[in-house]
Amino acid sequence: MHSSFQYKGSEFYMEGVSLTEIAESVGTPFYVYSYEFLRDSFTAYKKAFSEMDTLICYSVKANSNIAVLKAFSDLGAGYDIVSGGELLRVKRAGGDLGKVVFSGVGKTREEMKAAIEAGILFFNVESEEELHVLDDVGKEMGRKAPVALRVNPDINAKTHPYISTGFKKSKFGIEIGRAFEVYKEANKMEGIDVIAIDAHIGSQIFDLTPFVDSVKKLITLADDLVKEGINIQYIDIGGGLGISYKLDDKPPHPSMYADIIMKEFSGKPYKLVLEPGRSLMGNSGMLITKVLYLKEGTEKKFVIVDAAMNDLLRPAFYESYHEILPVVKGSQSKEVVDVVGPICESGDFLAQDRELPKVASGDLLAVLSTGAYGFVMSSNYNTRQRVPEVLVKGDQFSVIRKRETYDELLNLEELPDFL
Ligand code: LLP
């Protein structure tokens, strides 16, 4: 575990703050993130790639809280966004809009217009039809939209199928075999300024070989395009570096990743763009939840907690594993339990058949590695309020998103006249 997280006596601390203290102040459940951790993760990337002209565009979808975005922008990050909403968040955070790349297979005309007006670095265009619409929007505005084509390099990222995006059957990007022709067409368009190539092959990747294979293909394509007179300045290799979810997982360090990538770029004129999300935020965050009830079935023991699949979807959706630790170390004896939430679905679990120290009603548990794709994927299922988010820095903590109120949750609904 990172030095920002440790037990002092029997109490679990994030940096200089006891998690029990935060729980007493904000109630449970809640997400909590360590500033030190996210800063160190970003600095590790920056250092690893310091020998190359590199822009690190934090992937906003991983954790889009405005305070988190501000923290990254203060450290020098750009952003990878996928919607007009995320663009608005970057603006609110005071981020540099000239360092924004805009990905996603279904951008609307309105989103394109807003991004051109904002002056983003480039669009990652994912289909020929999208390219034509963007050209049209650019012309309408009397502007040229800066563009990368997102190519699909047909690479197996060897990760969970739901988060593998660079193989032929995936909905993402333009087939690499067609890319050259589409680039030539794009280069003639009045509303388009071709400046980059992009790919993103998947997420939670441990094996570095697929990254190398993808980068080789991107560089070959870029070289061919430059020979054709097309001005490729940036190569955006996406995100995807994996993190440890189990305490003994050994993901590649950003420096190993950087070494193999930079080797491929050596002697090449291109600037590098990265889009990491999980590897910057994942291990910086925890979901803190309280034990409500213990229940013993004939086959299983259940620990029923106040957080559920609506708060943290990953276990239900990907059968993902998250370490769970007691916030106050208590009993030495252990038992095998399912940790489940109050939602009316059998898929509502945070852990299954997990050996945990014995707990009692009222105890607090920390669900680790939930700083990325945690809060952002939460919902109001079962009319549950979305939980607060807290940022810790040194011995301070601050609520960076309040717990939703029932009014906020219900106020958008209206009764029609005909009822
Ligand atoms: N760039 C693009 C175009 C992406 O689609 C993604 C993630 C990233 C960058 C950032 O990837 P990262 O560095 O975080 O691996 N909800 C899933 C993950 C979905 C990832 C979607 N795209 C999960 O909880 O595992």
Side-chain angles (χ1 to χ4, degrees):
M1 243 190 311
H2 187 263
S3 59
S4 306
F5 311 134
Q6 49 183 290
Y7 284 99
K8 293 186 186 167
S10 60
E11 280 280 334
F12 200 9
Y13 271 67
M14 181 177 273
E15 302 187 30
V17 185
S18 117
L19 293 172
T20 305
E21 185 191 334
I22 305 177
E24 279 163 4
S25 159
V26 306
T28 57
F30 64 93
Y31 278 97
V32 57
Y33 315 121
S34 156
Y35 174 79
E36 252 177 29
F37 191 98
L38 74 83
R39 180 200 59 203
D40 290 356
S41 309
F42 187 82
T43 315
Y45 258 95
K46 212 164 148 179
K47 217 169 121 200
F49 284 95
S50 58
E51 281 160 37
M52 254 196 89
D53 193 343
T54 306
L55 177 62
I56 305 169
C57 289
Y58 167 64
S59 193
V60 172
K61 67 170 81 69
N63 182 323
S64 55
N65 187 287
I66 295 167
V68 169
L69 301 186
K70 162 123 181 24
F72 280 121
S73 117
D74 289 350
L75 295 165
Y79 302 96
D80 161 48
I81 62 165
V82 289
S83 70
E86 288 189 351
L87 179 64
L88 208 57
R89 286 181 174 277
V90 172
K91 283 187 187 166
R92 288 266 169 96
D96 182 347
L97 300 171
K99 290 188 188 168
V100 169
V101 298
F102 190 171
S103 313
V105 296
K107 303 174 196 80
T108 64
R109 291 180 85 96
E110 293 70 34
E111 289 176 320
M112 291 171 178
K113 197 162 170 259
I116 294 175
E117 261 161 17
I120 66 164
L121 183 59
F122 56 80
F123 289 87
N124 289 325
V125 171
E126 305 227 11
S127 68
E128 292 173 61
E129 208 169 339
E130 181 194 336
L131 179 65
H132 286 283
V133 173
L134 185 58
D135 175 37
D136 202 43
V137 173
K139 282 191 294 207
E140 223 172 71
M141 296 171 69
R143 300 270 290 271
K144 273 184 177 289
V147 156
L149 296 188
R150 174 169 176 180
V151 300
N152 184 331
D154 191 22
I155 293 211
N156 181 354
K158 298 181 205 148
T159 181
H160 191 288
Y162 285 13
I163 50 177
S164 191
T165 51
F167 57 96
K168 261 197 183 135
K169 282 188 184 158
S170 129
K171 72 175 176 183
F172 300 98
I174 296 168
E175 256 184 72
I176 192 145
R178 264 205 59 68
F180 190 74
E181 287 312 309
V182 183
Y183 263 108
K184 283 204 298 194
E185 197 189 336
N187 204 39
K188 290 187 220 134
M189 292 178 172
E190 207 186 306
I192 297 289
D193 185 18
V194 176
I195 60 166
I197 297 187
D198 165 58
H200 168 78
I201 56 171
S203 200
Q204 185 55 9
I205 300 171
F206 268 45
D207 178 356
L208 295 174
T209 324
F211 286 118
V212 178
D213 294 346
S214 169
V215 167
K216 277 191 199 304
K217 288 189 177 188
L218 298 183
I219 293 179
T220 305
L221 176 60
D223 288 349
D224 290 348
L225 291 168
V226 169
K227 271 188 223 135
E228 192 69 21
I230 298 176
N231 182 22
I232 301 297
Q233 302 166 43
Y234 300 91
I235 297 187
D236 178 345
I237 66 169
L241 195 63
I243 61 163
S244 60
Y245 282 100
K246 294 188 174 157
L247 289 177
D248 55 1
D249 276 346
K250 297 265 176 299
H253 188 270
S255 64
M256 289 163 69
Y257 174 62
D259 286 348
I260 57 135
I261 302 290
M262 288 194 301
K263 204 167 126 219
E264 298 301 322
F265 274 86
S266 113
K268 299 288 177 188
Y270 313 112
K271 290 178 222 164
L272 176 64
V273 176
L274 305 169
E275 301 174 354
R278 187 191 320 260
S279 50
L280 292 179
M281 269 314 283
N283 279 326
S284 80
M286 299 178 188
L287 173 65
I288 309 298
T289 182
K290 190 168 73 185
V291 175
L292 296 175
Y293 304 108
L294 304 176
K295 176 164 152 174
E296 204 153 329
T298 45
E299 309 260 313
K300 282 199 166 202
K301 284 186 175 165
F302 296 99
V303 173
I304 301 168
V305 296
D306 63 0
M309 65 187 284
N310 74 299
D311 303 308
L312 178 65
L313 184 60
R314 301 193 76 259
F317 203 41
Y318 312 108
E319 291 178 24
S320 66
Y321 182 101
H322 290 266
E323 294 289 357
I324 298 182
L325 295 176
V327 168
V328 181
K329 266 192 203 162
S331 169
Q332 295 294 325
S333 60
K334 296 192 166 182
E335 58 185 354
V336 174
V337 297
D338 278 15
V339 180
V340 302
I343 283 188
C344 308
E345 299 254 2
S346 305
D348 180 25
F349 57 84
L350 300 179
Q352 285 182 306
D353 302 317
R354 186 72 62 86
E355 191 178 64
L356 288 183
K358 276 193 172 165
V359 292
S361 168
D363 286 358
L364 298 176
L365 296 174
V367 186
L368 304 197
S369 313
T370 51
Y373 309 112
F375 179 85
V376 287
M377 292 176 76
S378 66
S379 76
N380 295 119
Y381 190 36
N382 280 206
T383 308
R384 289 166 54 85
Q385 299 144 283
R386 275 181 299 170
V387 306
E389 295 175 282
V390 177
L391 185 65
V392 169
K393 184 174 180 221
D395 56 9
Q396 310 170 62
F397 71 91
S398 181
V399 175
I400 55 172
R401 184 184 158 108
K402 294 183 214 158
R403 193 180 304 281
E404 218 162 33
T405 64
Y406 282 122
D407 275 347
E408 282 158 348
L409 212 156
L410 300 178
N411 276 352
L412 292 174
E413 290 171 38
E414 278 170 16
L415 290 172
D417 294 341
F418 50 79
L419 280 188

